[in-house]
mmCIF file with all atom_site columns, all heavy atoms in Angstrom:
data_model
loop_
_atom_site.group_PDB
_atom_site.id
_atom_site.type_symbol
_atom_site.label_atom_id
_atom_site.label_alt_id
_atom_site.label_comp_id
_atom_site.label_asym_id
_atom_site.label_entity_id
_atom_site.label_seq_id
_atom_site.pdbx_PDB_ins_code
_atom_site.Cartn_x
_atom_site.Cartn_y
_atom_site.Cartn_z
_atom_site.occupancy
_atom_site.B_iso_or_equiv
_atom_site.pdbx_formal_charge
_atom_site.auth_seq_id
_atom_site.auth_comp_id
_atom_site.auth_asym_id
_atom_site.auth_atom_id
_atom_site.pdbx_PDB_model_num
ATOM 1   N N   . ILE A 1 201 ? -12.432 -6.941  23.532 1.00 0.00 ? 201 ILE A N   1
ATOM 2   C CA  . ILE A 1 201 ? -13.576 -7.485  22.798 1.00 0.00 ? 201 ILE A CA  1
ATOM 3   C C   . ILE A 1 201 ? -13.149 -8.859  22.304 1.00 0.00 ? 201 ILE A C   1
ATOM 4   O O   . ILE A 1 201 ? -12.456 -8.987  21.296 1.00 0.00 ? 201 ILE A O   1
ATOM 5   C CB  . ILE A 1 201 ? -13.949 -6.575  21.596 1.00 0.00 ? 201 ILE A CB  1
ATOM 6   C CG1 . ILE A 1 201 ? -14.241 -5.149  22.052 1.00 0.00 ? 201 ILE A CG1 1
ATOM 7   C CG2 . ILE A 1 201 ? -15.138 -7.141  20.838 1.00 0.00 ? 201 ILE A CG2 1
ATOM 8   C CD1 . ILE A 1 201 ? -15.524 -4.942  22.810 1.00 0.00 ? 201 ILE A CD1 1
ATOM 9   N N   . ARG A 1 202 ? -13.512 -9.858  23.050 1.00 0.00 ? 202 ARG A N   1
ATOM 10  C CA  . ARG A 1 202 ? -13.196 -11.232 22.625 1.00 0.00 ? 202 ARG A CA  1
ATOM 11  C C   . ARG A 1 202 ? -14.486 -11.900 22.230 1.00 0.00 ? 202 ARG A C   1
ATOM 12  O O   . ARG A 1 202 ? -15.183 -12.459 23.060 1.00 0.00 ? 202 ARG A O   1
ATOM 13  C CB  . ARG A 1 202 ? -12.539 -12.006 23.776 1.00 0.00 ? 202 ARG A CB  1
ATOM 14  C CG  . ARG A 1 202 ? -11.133 -11.543 24.061 1.00 0.00 ? 202 ARG A CG  1
ATOM 15  C CD  . ARG A 1 202 ? -10.413 -12.488 25.006 1.00 0.00 ? 202 ARG A CD  1
ATOM 16  N NE  . ARG A 1 202 ? -9.456  -11.723 25.799 1.00 0.00 ? 202 ARG A NE  1
ATOM 17  C CZ  . ARG A 1 202 ? -9.717  -11.218 26.994 1.00 0.00 ? 202 ARG A CZ  1
ATOM 18  N NH1 . ARG A 1 202 ? -10.895 -11.426 27.575 1.00 0.00 ? 202 ARG A NH1 1
ATOM 19  N NH2 . ARG A 1 202 ? -8.795  -10.523 27.652 1.00 0.00 ? 202 ARG A NH2 1
ATOM 20  N N   . LEU A 1 203 ? -14.814 -11.751 20.966 1.00 0.00 ? 203 LEU A N   1
ATOM 21  C CA  . LEU A 1 203 ? -16.070 -12.335 20.508 1.00 0.00 ? 203 LEU A CA  1
ATOM 22  C C   . LEU A 1 203 ? -15.781 -13.778 20.122 1.00 0.00 ? 203 LEU A C   1
ATOM 23  O O   . LEU A 1 203 ? -15.132 -14.035 19.113 1.00 0.00 ? 203 LEU A O   1
ATOM 24  C CB  . LEU A 1 203 ? -16.596 -11.552 19.315 1.00 0.00 ? 203 LEU A CB  1
ATOM 25  C CG  . LEU A 1 203 ? -17.000 -10.107 19.593 1.00 0.00 ? 203 LEU A CG  1
ATOM 26  C CD1 . LEU A 1 203 ? -17.360 -9.405  18.309 1.00 0.00 ? 203 LEU A CD1 1
ATOM 27  C CD2 . LEU A 1 203 ? -18.159 -10.063 20.574 1.00 0.00 ? 203 LEU A CD2 1
ATOM 28  N N   . LYS A 1 204 ? -16.235 -14.673 20.968 1.00 0.00 ? 204 LYS A N   1
ATOM 29  C CA  . LYS A 1 204 ? -16.019 -16.089 20.638 1.00 0.00 ? 204 LYS A CA  1
ATOM 30  C C   . LYS A 1 204 ? -16.984 -16.451 19.526 1.00 0.00 ? 204 LYS A C   1
ATOM 31  O O   . LYS A 1 204 ? -18.180 -16.268 19.668 1.00 0.00 ? 204 LYS A O   1
ATOM 32  C CB  . LYS A 1 204 ? -16.282 -16.954 21.877 1.00 0.00 ? 204 LYS A CB  1
ATOM 33  C CG  . LYS A 1 204 ? -14.981 -17.513 22.442 1.00 0.00 ? 204 LYS A CG  1
ATOM 34  C CD  . LYS A 1 204 ? -15.213 -18.605 23.465 1.00 0.00 ? 204 LYS A CD  1
ATOM 35  C CE  . LYS A 1 204 ? -15.469 -18.055 24.847 1.00 0.00 ? 204 LYS A CE  1
ATOM 36  N NZ  . LYS A 1 204 ? -16.609 -18.557 25.537 1.00 0.00 ? 204 LYS A NZ  1
ATOM 37  N N   . ASN A 1 205 ? -16.469 -16.929 18.421 1.00 0.00 ? 205 ASN A N   1
ATOM 38  C CA  . ASN A 1 205 ? -17.324 -17.383 17.308 1.00 0.00 ? 205 ASN A CA  1
ATOM 39  C C   . ASN A 1 205 ? -18.258 -16.301 16.766 1.00 0.00 ? 205 ASN A C   1
ATOM 40  O O   . ASN A 1 205 ? -19.358 -16.609 16.331 1.00 0.00 ? 205 ASN A O   1
ATOM 41  C CB  . ASN A 1 205 ? -18.180 -18.592 17.714 1.00 0.00 ? 205 ASN A CB  1
ATOM 42  C CG  . ASN A 1 205 ? -17.377 -19.620 18.463 1.00 0.00 ? 205 ASN A CG  1
ATOM 43  O OD1 . ASN A 1 205 ? -16.225 -19.860 18.111 1.00 0.00 ? 205 ASN A OD1 1
ATOM 44  N ND2 . ASN A 1 205 ? -17.961 -20.205 19.497 1.00 0.00 ? 205 ASN A ND2 1
ATOM 45  N N   . ALA A 1 206 ? -17.863 -15.049 16.838 1.00 0.00 ? 206 ALA A N   1
ATOM 46  C CA  . ALA A 1 206 ? -18.714 -14.010 16.240 1.00 0.00 ? 206 ALA A CA  1
ATOM 47  C C   . ALA A 1 206 ? -17.857 -12.902 15.645 1.00 0.00 ? 206 ALA A C   1
ATOM 48  O O   . ALA A 1 206 ? -16.680 -12.759 15.983 1.00 0.00 ? 206 ALA A O   1
ATOM 49  C CB  . ALA A 1 206 ? -19.667 -13.437 17.282 1.00 0.00 ? 206 ALA A CB  1
ATOM 50  N N   . LYS A 1 207 ? -18.470 -12.155 14.733 1.00 0.00 ? 207 LYS A N   1
ATOM 51  C CA  . LYS A 1 207 ? -17.745 -11.081 14.038 1.00 0.00 ? 207 LYS A CA  1
ATOM 52  C C   . LYS A 1 207 ? -18.535 -9.775  14.137 1.00 0.00 ? 207 LYS A C   1
ATOM 53  O O   . LYS A 1 207 ? -19.739 -9.782  14.322 1.00 0.00 ? 207 LYS A O   1
ATOM 54  C CB  . LYS A 1 207 ? -17.636 -11.422 12.547 1.00 0.00 ? 207 LYS A CB  1
ATOM 55  C CG  . LYS A 1 207 ? -16.814 -12.662 12.240 1.00 0.00 ? 207 LYS A CG  1
ATOM 56  C CD  . LYS A 1 207 ? -15.396 -12.278 11.905 1.00 0.00 ? 207 LYS A CD  1
ATOM 57  C CE  . LYS A 1 207 ? -14.537 -13.454 11.483 1.00 0.00 ? 207 LYS A CE  1
ATOM 58  N NZ  . LYS A 1 207 ? -14.417 -14.510 12.495 1.00 0.00 ? 207 LYS A NZ  1
ATOM 59  N N   . ILE A 1 208 ? -17.782 -8.682  13.975 1.00 0.00 ? 208 ILE A N   1
ATOM 60  C CA  . ILE A 1 208 ? -18.443 -7.376  13.855 1.00 0.00 ? 208 ILE A CA  1
ATOM 61  C C   . ILE A 1 208 ? -18.650 -7.120  12.358 1.00 0.00 ? 208 ILE A C   1
ATOM 62  O O   . ILE A 1 208 ? -17.680 -7.129  11.586 1.00 0.00 ? 208 ILE A O   1
ATOM 63  C CB  . ILE A 1 208 ? -17.577 -6.254  14.455 1.00 0.00 ? 208 ILE A CB  1
ATOM 64  C CG1 . ILE A 1 208 ? -17.312 -6.533  15.944 1.00 0.00 ? 208 ILE A CG1 1
ATOM 65  C CG2 . ILE A 1 208 ? -18.253 -4.896  14.273 1.00 0.00 ? 208 ILE A CG2 1
ATOM 66  C CD1 . ILE A 1 208 ? -16.356 -5.545  16.588 1.00 0.00 ? 208 ILE A CD1 1
ATOM 67  N N   . VAL A 1 209 ? -19.900 -6.928  11.974 1.00 0.00 ? 209 VAL A N   1
ATOM 68  C CA  . VAL A 1 209 ? -20.196 -6.678  10.566 1.00 0.00 ? 209 VAL A CA  1
ATOM 69  C C   . VAL A 1 209 ? -20.791 -5.279  10.431 1.00 0.00 ? 209 VAL A C   1
ATOM 70  O O   . VAL A 1 209 ? -21.723 -4.925  11.154 1.00 0.00 ? 209 VAL A O   1
ATOM 71  C CB  . VAL A 1 209 ? -21.196 -7.715  10.000 1.00 0.00 ? 209 VAL A CB  1
ATOM 72  C CG1 . VAL A 1 209 ? -21.415 -7.479  8.504  1.00 0.00 ? 209 VAL A CG1 1
ATOM 73  C CG2 . VAL A 1 209 ? -20.708 -9.136  10.248 1.00 0.00 ? 209 VAL A CG2 1
ATOM 74  N N   . ILE A 1 293 ? -22.707 -11.846 26.183 1.00 0.00 ? 293 ILE A N   1
ATOM 75  C CA  . ILE A 1 293 ? -22.782 -11.185 24.883 1.00 0.00 ? 293 ILE A CA  1
ATOM 76  C C   . ILE A 1 293 ? -24.233 -11.101 24.388 1.00 0.00 ? 293 ILE A C   1
ATOM 77  O O   . ILE A 1 293 ? -24.597 -10.193 23.646 1.00 0.00 ? 293 ILE A O   1
ATOM 78  C CB  . ILE A 1 293 ? -21.836 -11.892 23.872 1.00 0.00 ? 293 ILE A CB  1
ATOM 79  C CG1 . ILE A 1 293 ? -21.692 -11.108 22.579 1.00 0.00 ? 293 ILE A CG1 1
ATOM 80  C CG2 . ILE A 1 293 ? -22.182 -13.317 23.642 1.00 0.00 ? 293 ILE A CG2 1
ATOM 81  C CD1 . ILE A 1 293 ? -20.849 -9.876  22.727 1.00 0.00 ? 293 ILE A CD1 1
ATOM 82  N N   . GLY A 1 330 ? -28.653 -16.091 14.240 1.00 0.00 ? 330 GLY A N   1
ATOM 83  C CA  . GLY A 1 330 ? -27.217 -15.940 14.478 1.00 0.00 ? 330 GLY A CA  1
ATOM 84  C C   . GLY A 1 330 ? -26.796 -14.482 14.634 1.00 0.00 ? 330 GLY A C   1
ATOM 85  O O   . GLY A 1 330 ? -25.613 -14.194 14.807 1.00 0.00 ? 330 GLY A O   1
ATOM 86  N N   . ILE A 1 332 ? -26.548 -11.443 16.948 1.00 0.00 ? 332 ILE A N   1
ATOM 87  C CA  . ILE A 1 332 ? -26.580 -11.230 18.401 1.00 0.00 ? 332 ILE A CA  1
ATOM 88  C C   . ILE A 1 332 ? -27.130 -9.838  18.729 1.00 0.00 ? 332 ILE A C   1
ATOM 89  O O   . ILE A 1 332 ? -27.820 -9.647  19.713 1.00 0.00 ? 332 ILE A O   1
ATOM 90  C CB  . ILE A 1 332 ? -25.156 -11.448 18.972 1.00 0.00 ? 332 ILE A CB  1
ATOM 91  C CG1 . ILE A 1 332 ? -24.765 -12.918 18.751 1.00 0.00 ? 332 ILE A CG1 1
ATOM 92  C CG2 . ILE A 1 332 ? -25.078 -11.076 20.446 1.00 0.00 ? 332 ILE A CG2 1
ATOM 93  C CD1 . ILE A 1 332 ? -23.288 -13.201 18.899 1.00 0.00 ? 332 ILE A CD1 1
ATOM 94  N N   . SER A 1 347 ? -23.402 -4.723  13.447 1.00 0.00 ? 347 SER A N   1
ATOM 95  C CA  . SER A 1 347 ? -24.073 -5.930  13.920 1.00 0.00 ? 347 SER A CA  1
ATOM 96  C C   . SER A 1 347 ? -23.034 -6.898  14.453 1.00 0.00 ? 347 SER A C   1
ATOM 97  O O   . SER A 1 347 ? -21.909 -6.959  13.946 1.00 0.00 ? 347 SER A O   1
ATOM 98  C CB  . SER A 1 347 ? -24.813 -6.621  12.768 1.00 0.00 ? 347 SER A CB  1
ATOM 99  O OG  . SER A 1 347 ? -25.640 -5.700  12.089 1.00 0.00 ? 347 SER A OG  1
ATOM 100 N N   . ILE A 1 348 ? -23.415 -7.643  15.471 1.00 0.00 ? 348 ILE A N   1
ATOM 101 C CA  . ILE A 1 348 ? -22.559 -8.741  15.927 1.00 0.00 ? 348 ILE A CA  1
ATOM 102 C C   . ILE A 1 348 ? -23.224 -10.025 15.450 1.00 0.00 ? 348 ILE A C   1
ATOM 103 O O   . ILE A 1 348 ? -24.408 -10.275 15.736 1.00 0.00 ? 348 ILE A O   1
ATOM 104 C CB  . ILE A 1 348 ? -22.364 -8.701  17.453 1.00 0.00 ? 348 ILE A CB  1
ATOM 105 C CG1 . ILE A 1 348 ? -21.686 -7.368  17.799 1.00 0.00 ? 348 ILE A CG1 1
ATOM 106 C CG2 . ILE A 1 348 ? -21.524 -9.885  17.919 1.00 0.00 ? 348 ILE A CG2 1
ATOM 107 C CD1 . ILE A 1 348 ? -21.348 -7.182  19.249 1.00 0.00 ? 348 ILE A CD1 1
ATOM 108 N N   . VAL A 1 349 ? -22.465 -10.765 14.658 1.00 0.00 ? 349 VAL A N   1
ATOM 109 C CA  . VAL A 1 349 ? -23.046 -11.905 13.947 1.00 0.00 ? 349 VAL A CA  1
ATOM 110 C C   . VAL A 1 349 ? -22.190 -13.144 14.191 1.00 0.00 ? 349 VAL A C   1
ATOM 111 O O   . VAL A 1 349 ? -20.957 -13.079 14.090 1.00 0.00 ? 349 VAL A O   1
ATOM 112 C CB  . VAL A 1 349 ? -23.092 -11.610 12.420 1.00 0.00 ? 349 VAL A CB  1
ATOM 113 C CG1 . VAL A 1 349 ? -23.821 -12.727 11.673 1.00 0.00 ? 349 VAL A CG1 1
ATOM 114 C CG2 . VAL A 1 349 ? -23.753 -10.265 12.145 1.00 0.00 ? 349 VAL A CG2 1
ATOM 115 N N   . GLU A 1 350 ? -22.840 -14.247 14.507 1.00 0.00 ? 350 GLU A N   1
ATOM 116 C CA  . GLU A 1 350 ? -22.082 -15.494 14.711 1.00 0.00 ? 350 GLU A CA  1
ATOM 117 C C   . GLU A 1 350 ? -21.348 -15.864 13.430 1.00 0.00 ? 350 GLU A C   1
ATOM 118 O O   . GLU A 1 350 ? -21.879 -15.697 12.328 1.00 0.00 ? 350 GLU A O   1
ATOM 119 C CB  . GLU A 1 350 ? -23.042 -16.622 15.121 1.00 0.00 ? 350 GLU A CB  1
ATOM 120 C CG  . GLU A 1 350 ? -23.502 -16.468 16.563 1.00 0.00 ? 350 GLU A CG  1
ATOM 121 C CD  . GLU A 1 350 ? -24.608 -17.431 16.951 1.00 0.00 ? 350 GLU A CD  1
ATOM 122 O OE1 . GLU A 1 350 ? -24.919 -18.367 16.179 1.00 0.00 ? 350 GLU A OE1 1
ATOM 123 O OE2 . GLU A 1 350 ? -25.184 -17.223 18.035 1.00 0.00 ? 350 GLU A OE2 1
ATOM 124 N N   . ASP A 1 351 ? -20.150 -16.395 13.597 1.00 0.00 ? 351 ASP A N   1
ATOM 125 C CA  . ASP A 1 351 ? -19.281 -16.708 12.449 1.00 0.00 ? 351 ASP A CA  1
ATOM 126 C C   . ASP A 1 351 ? -20.009 -17.414 11.310 1.00 0.00 ? 351 ASP A C   1
ATOM 127 O O   . ASP A 1 351 ? -19.943 -16.992 10.168 1.00 0.00 ? 351 ASP A O   1
ATOM 128 C CB  . ASP A 1 351 ? -18.134 -17.623 12.892 1.00 0.00 ? 351 ASP A CB  1
ATOM 129 C CG  . ASP A 1 351 ? -17.082 -16.858 13.677 1.00 0.00 ? 351 ASP A CG  1
ATOM 130 O OD1 . ASP A 1 351 ? -17.056 -15.617 13.555 1.00 0.00 ? 351 ASP A OD1 1
ATOM 131 O OD2 . ASP A 1 351 ? -16.319 -17.497 14.421 1.00 0.00 ? 351 ASP A OD2 1
ATOM 132 N N   . ASP A 1 352 ? -20.703 -18.497 11.668 1.00 0.00 ? 352 ASP A N   1
ATOM 133 C CA  . ASP A 1 352 ? -21.287 -19.291 10.578 1.00 0.00 ? 352 ASP A CA  1
ATOM 134 C C   . ASP A 1 352 ? -22.594 -18.697 10.051 1.00 0.00 ? 352 ASP A C   1
ATOM 135 O O   . ASP A 1 352 ? -23.231 -19.278 9.179  1.00 0.00 ? 352 ASP A O   1
ATOM 136 C CB  . ASP A 1 352 ? -21.438 -20.772 10.980 1.00 0.00 ? 352 ASP A CB  1
ATOM 137 C CG  . ASP A 1 352 ? -22.073 -20.917 12.344 1.00 0.00 ? 352 ASP A CG  1
ATOM 138 O OD1 . ASP A 1 352 ? -22.662 -19.915 12.813 1.00 0.00 ? 352 ASP A OD1 1
ATOM 139 O OD2 . ASP A 1 352 ? -21.982 -22.006 12.937 1.00 0.00 ? 352 ASP A OD2 1
ATOM 140 N N   . ALA A 1 353 ? -22.971 -17.533 10.562 1.00 0.00 ? 353 ALA A N   1
ATOM 141 C CA  . ALA A 1 353 ? -24.184 -16.885 10.038 1.00 0.00 ? 353 ALA A CA  1
ATOM 142 C C   . ALA A 1 353 ? -23.845 -15.690 9.145  1.00 0.00 ? 353 ALA A C   1
ATOM 143 O O   . ALA A 1 353 ? -24.730 -15.101 8.527  1.00 0.00 ? 353 ALA A O   1
ATOM 144 C CB  . ALA A 1 353 ? -25.062 -16.429 11.192 1.00 0.00 ? 353 ALA A CB  1
ATOM 145 N N   . VAL A 1 354 ? -22.546 -15.357 9.060  1.00 0.00 ? 354 VAL A N   1
ATOM 146 C CA  . VAL A 1 354 ? -22.165 -14.114 8.372  1.00 0.00 ? 354 VAL A CA  1
ATOM 147 C C   . VAL A 1 354 ? -22.570 -14.126 6.892  1.00 0.00 ? 354 VAL A C   1
ATOM 148 O O   . VAL A 1 354 ? -23.166 -13.157 6.395  1.00 0.00 ? 354 VAL A O   1
ATOM 149 C CB  . VAL A 1 354 ? -20.645 -13.833 8.531  1.00 0.00 ? 354 VAL A CB  1
ATOM 150 C CG1 . VAL A 1 354 ? -20.206 -12.692 7.635  1.00 0.00 ? 354 VAL A CG1 1
ATOM 151 C CG2 . VAL A 1 354 ? -20.307 -13.506 9.986  1.00 0.00 ? 354 VAL A CG2 1
ATOM 152 N N   . VAL A 1 377 ? -16.760 -7.022  7.046  1.00 0.00 ? 377 VAL A N   1
ATOM 153 C CA  . VAL A 1 377 ? -16.454 -7.726  8.294  1.00 0.00 ? 377 VAL A CA  1
ATOM 154 C C   . VAL A 1 377 ? -15.177 -7.070  8.802  1.00 0.00 ? 377 VAL A C   1
ATOM 155 O O   . VAL A 1 377 ? -14.154 -7.104  8.122  1.00 0.00 ? 377 VAL A O   1
ATOM 156 C CB  . VAL A 1 377 ? -16.241 -9.231  8.037  1.00 0.00 ? 377 VAL A CB  1
ATOM 157 C CG1 . VAL A 1 377 ? -15.882 -9.946  9.336  1.00 0.00 ? 377 VAL A CG1 1
ATOM 158 C CG2 . VAL A 1 377 ? -17.505 -9.838  7.427  1.00 0.00 ? 377 VAL A CG2 1
ATOM 159 N N   . VAL A 1 378 ? -15.254 -6.412  9.974  1.00 0.00 ? 378 VAL A N   1
ATOM 160 C CA  . VAL A 1 378 ? -14.131 -5.553  10.384 1.00 0.00 ? 378 VAL A CA  1
ATOM 161 C C   . VAL A 1 378 ? -13.373 -6.111  11.592 1.00 0.00 ? 378 VAL A C   1
ATOM 162 O O   . VAL A 1 378 ? -13.880 -6.946  12.336 1.00 0.00 ? 378 VAL A O   1
ATOM 163 C CB  . VAL A 1 378 ? -14.598 -4.114  10.700 1.00 0.00 ? 378 VAL A CB  1
ATOM 164 C CG1 . VAL A 1 378 ? -15.118 -3.438  9.448  1.00 0.00 ? 378 VAL A CG1 1
ATOM 165 C CG2 . VAL A 1 378 ? -15.633 -4.096  11.808 1.00 0.00 ? 378 VAL A CG2 1
#
Side-chain angles (χ1 to χ4, degrees):
I201 303 288
R202 289 191 211 94
L203 295 174
K204 252 193 276 130
N205 315 321
K207 296 264 184 300
I208 300 175
V209 184
I293 190 73
I332 296 164
S347 309
I348 299 183
V349 186
E350 285 171 10
D351 285 341
D352 48 16
V354 170
V377 178
V378 295

